[in-house]
């Protein structure tokens, strides 16, 4: 076992397990954020708007990759608590090769359907060419994205949340350097920014694979004689597919919102692109606190420590509130400063500030939703978060945004619909958790 989550003060265990995950994913966000900052400063708002749209497509790819391997992570945590080493090895080998197959298929499908995606989501005329170039290159990064996600979730399941951080830090720095070289120096335009991202993704994938093999030979991925088990795949997919579907529906919902925003022109599209990046940073602590709680819950359930699971849930909830209230304060008061990192154009900045002053006030609701997600996934109840996301986002937030945006509120109506959707997600998850029978909380 690399880290035992079944001993020690719950809040300390969760904090120190979450921190490396958070740091790593902060650097992962730099893949797209670095593109946005450099593209916005060097190439203008049309190119920036294109990067923003592609960010939502990339979010779907990441959601699929993380969802498929999340079930494997939960299973590994459970088997770690039960001390079942052979089962862990089977999950790792099976999960890795399954990720290879899925990523290759999606890579080719993505490139083939690029023009269709641009058309269906109403990308404005002045950004179509830039979007097509960026998106086709971005799909080439599907394979390293999937493999890196798989290895990262394997390590988290074992209790190691630190190793992937080092790969991401190096990859993020490489991405920034390549962005400046390709876009700023070589003048390759938006295609150079996309190429920098894909090359950095391959770097993090290869590096993490090498580290896993050298540092943890007991859990290395077997190339010649892989230990493949259909049972391990079925069990992991039972948890992972609903989680993946949840994230995919979430991303599709956001793409639908993006299509509404696109209807207000490239200036509004650029503003939404920037604020989405700021949102992604602001929501990361709660997101990964919820993910850490999943592993914490699964490992402690495997060790038959139900009371510790409950204490961990409340510790995570309190930490999530404290962190997101602080973030809300910074985002609402200093929104103009953060937007200025991406673009200086006043028309874009004014729209972006309006967004942050509305959505930024409600990050604590999103934090509550992510912690509830974590506890439910730890109980291997992935269908509840999935159904909750479909209802709260696709059946509440998106319709509300559509209706409000067709009133005098305009694009501000889209912003107002966001906390409405979050609140619905919290209530559905909370209701199910409180109704979860005691026998399900004490059995694995």
């Amino acid at each position: 076992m690399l880290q035992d989550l079944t001993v020690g003060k719950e809040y300390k265990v969760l904090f120190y397990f979450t921190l490396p995950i958070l740091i790593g994913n902060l650097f992962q966000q730099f893949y797209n954020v670095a593109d946005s900052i450099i593209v916005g400063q060097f190439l203008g708002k049309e190119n920036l708007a294109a990067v923003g749209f592609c960010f939502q497509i990339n979010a779907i790819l990441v959601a699929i990759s993380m969802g498929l391997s999340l079930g494997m992570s939960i299973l590994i945590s459970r088997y770690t608590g039960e001390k079942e080493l052979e089962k862990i090895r089977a999950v790792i080998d099976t999960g890795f090769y399954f990720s290879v197959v899925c990523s290759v298929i999606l890579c080719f499908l993505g490139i083939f359907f690029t023009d269709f995606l641009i058309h269906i989501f109403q990308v404005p005329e002045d950004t179509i060419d830039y979007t097509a170039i960026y998106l086709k290159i971005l799909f080439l990064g599907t394979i390293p994205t999937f493999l890196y996600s798989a290895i990262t979730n394997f390590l988290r399941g074992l209790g190691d949340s630190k190793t992937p951080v080092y790969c991401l830090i190096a990859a993020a720095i490489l991405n920034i350097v390549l962005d400046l070289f390709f876009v700023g120096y070589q003048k390759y335009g938006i295609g150079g920014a996309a190429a920098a991202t894909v090359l950095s993704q391959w770097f993090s994938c290869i590096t993490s694979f090498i580290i896993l093999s050298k540092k943890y030979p007991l859990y290395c991925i077997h190339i010649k004689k892989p230990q493949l088990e259909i049972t391990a795949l079925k069990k992991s997919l039972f948890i992972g597919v609903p989680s993946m579907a949840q994230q995919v529906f979430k991303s599709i919902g956001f793409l639908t919102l993006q299509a509404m925003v696109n209807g207000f022109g490239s200036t509004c599209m650029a503003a939404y692109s920037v604020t989405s990046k700021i949102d992604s940073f602001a929501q990361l602590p709660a997101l990964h606190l919820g993910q850490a709680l999943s592993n914490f819950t699964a490992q402690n359930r495997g060790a038959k420590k139900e009371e510790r699971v409950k204490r961990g849930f409340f510790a995570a909830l309190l930490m999530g509130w404290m962190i997101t209230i602080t973030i809300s304060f910074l985002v609402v008061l200093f929104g103009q400063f953060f937007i200025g990192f991406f673009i200086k154009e006043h028309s874009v900045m004014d729209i972006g500030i309006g967004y942050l002053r509305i959505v930024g006030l409600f990050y604590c609701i999103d934090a509550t939703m992510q912690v509830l997600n974590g506890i439910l996934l730890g109980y291997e109840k992935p269908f509840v978060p999935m159904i909750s996301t479909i209802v709260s986002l696709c059946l509440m937030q998106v319709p509300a945004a559509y209706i409000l945006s067709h009133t005098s509120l305009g694009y501000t109506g889209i912003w107002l619909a966001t906390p409405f959707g979050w609140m619905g997600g919290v209530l559905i998850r909370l209701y199910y958790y409180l109704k979860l029978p005691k026998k399900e909380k004490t059995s694995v």
Side-chain angles (χ1 to χ4, degrees), residues 50-213:
V51 172
F53 171 76
C54 295
F55 173 78
Q56 300 294 351
I57 299 292
N58 189 58
I60 293 181
L61 297 176
V62 173
I64 296 173
S65 68
M66 291 301 292
L68 287 176
S69 55
L70 178 61
M72 301 161 195
S73 179
I74 300 298
L75 273 184
I76 291 170
S77 288
R78 175 177 152 185
Y79 293 149
T80 299
E82 296 173 351
K83 309 296 192 294
E84 295 280 1
L85 299 183
E86 286 303 316
K87 290 183 179 179
I88 293 173
R89 294 190 188 102
V91 172
I92 289 176
D93 277 359
T94 305
F96 181 81
Y97 286 101
F98 182 71
S99 296
V100 170
V101 174
C102 291
S103 64
V104 171
I105 293 171
L106 280 175
C107 176
F108 285 104
L109 287 177
I111 295 172
F112 183 78
F113 285 106
T114 292
D115 293 336
F116 172 76
L117 291 171
I118 290 172
H119 172 73
I120 200 70
F121 289 107
Q122 304 176 39
V123 173
E125 284 281 343
D126 55 354
T127 64
I128 286 178
D129 291 340
Y130 305 125
T131 302
I133 293 170
Y134 192 96
L135 200 53
K136 286 179 180 179
I137 297 174
L138 191 67
F139 275 120
L140 295 174
T142 303
I143 297 171
T145 295
F146 270 63
L147 301 189
Y148 174 78
S149 295
I151 295 171
T152 296
N153 273 319
F154 298 158
L155 290 169
R156 288 177 187 170
L158 293 165
D160 181 4
S161 59
K162 296 178 181 179
T163 298
V165 175
Y166 307 119
C167 302
L168 277 174
I169 291 174
I173 294 171
L174 175 64
N175 186 38
I176 293 170
V177 171
L178 291 177
D179 266 330
L180 290 171
F181 179 74
F182 289 153
V183 179
Y185 181 73
Q186 291 291 345
K187 309 296 182 184
Y188 288 157
I190 197 169
T197 297
V198 172
L199 289 173
S200 301
Q201 288 170 335
W202 273 109
F203 174 84
S204 62
C205 169
I206 294 170
T207 305
S208 63
F209 183 90
I210 292 172
I211 291 175
L212 176 66
S213 302

Side-chain angles (χ1 to χ4, degrees), residues 220-274:
C220 70
I221 297 159
H222 299 92
I223 302 298
K224 293 183 178 179
K225 295 182 179 179
Q227 189 174 339
L228 305 178
E229 283 190 11
I230 191 66
T231 302
L233 181 61
K234 287 180 178 179
K235 287 182 178 179
S236 62
L237 290 180
F238 177 79
I239 304 169
V241 168
S243 300
M244 177 194 71
Q246 174 198 353
Q247 295 302 320
V248 170
F249 275 114
K250 185 177 180 180
S251 296
I252 291 173
F254 285 138
L255 275 172
T256 305
L257 295 172
Q258 177 78 63
M260 296 181 200
V261 171
N262 294 351
F264 289 97
S266 58
T267 300
C268 187
M269 189 178 172
Y272 189 63
S273 169
V274 171

Side-chain angles (χ1 to χ4, degrees), residues 330-352:
L330 294 173
V331 167
V332 171
L333 288 185
F334 302 104
Q336 183 173 352
F337 172 76
F338 294 126
I339 294 172
F341 275 110
F342 296 88
I343 196 165
K344 302 295 184 182
E345 191 168 323
H346 291 296
S347 58
V348 175
M349 191 170 289
D350 289 342
I351 296 174

Side-chain angles (χ1 to χ4, degrees), residues 260 264 398-414:
M260 296 181 200
F264 289 97
V398 170
Y402 179 81
I403 293 169
L404 292 174
S405 65
H406 283 76
T407 67
S408 58
L409 291 170
Y411 51 74
T412 303
I414 302 175

Side-chain angles (χ1 to χ4, degrees), residues 67 70 74 238-251 287 290-291 293-294 313 366 368-396 421-422 424-433 436 440:
L70 178 61
I74 300 298
F238 177 79
I239 304 169
V241 168
S243 300
M244 177 194 71
Q246 174 198 353
Q247 295 302 320
V248 170
F249 275 114
K250 185 177 180 180
S251 296
L287 175 65
Q291 290 180 357
L293 183 62
S294 297
F313 169 72
D366 177 67
T368 306
M369 186 167 64
Q370 298 302 337
V371 172
L372 285 166
N373 255 359
I375 194 79
L376 290 167
L377 287 173
Y379 278 121
E380 300 180 21
K381 302 294 180 183
F383 287 95
V384 180
M386 181 189 74
I387 294 170
S388 178
T389 296
I390 294 172
V391 173
S392 62
L393 178 60
C394 300
L395 301 182
M396 293 176 66
W422 287 347
V426 167
L427 293 176
I428 296 169
R429 289 168 174 86
L430 181 60
Y431 174 81
Y432 186 87
Y433 175 68
L436 195 64
E440 292 190 55

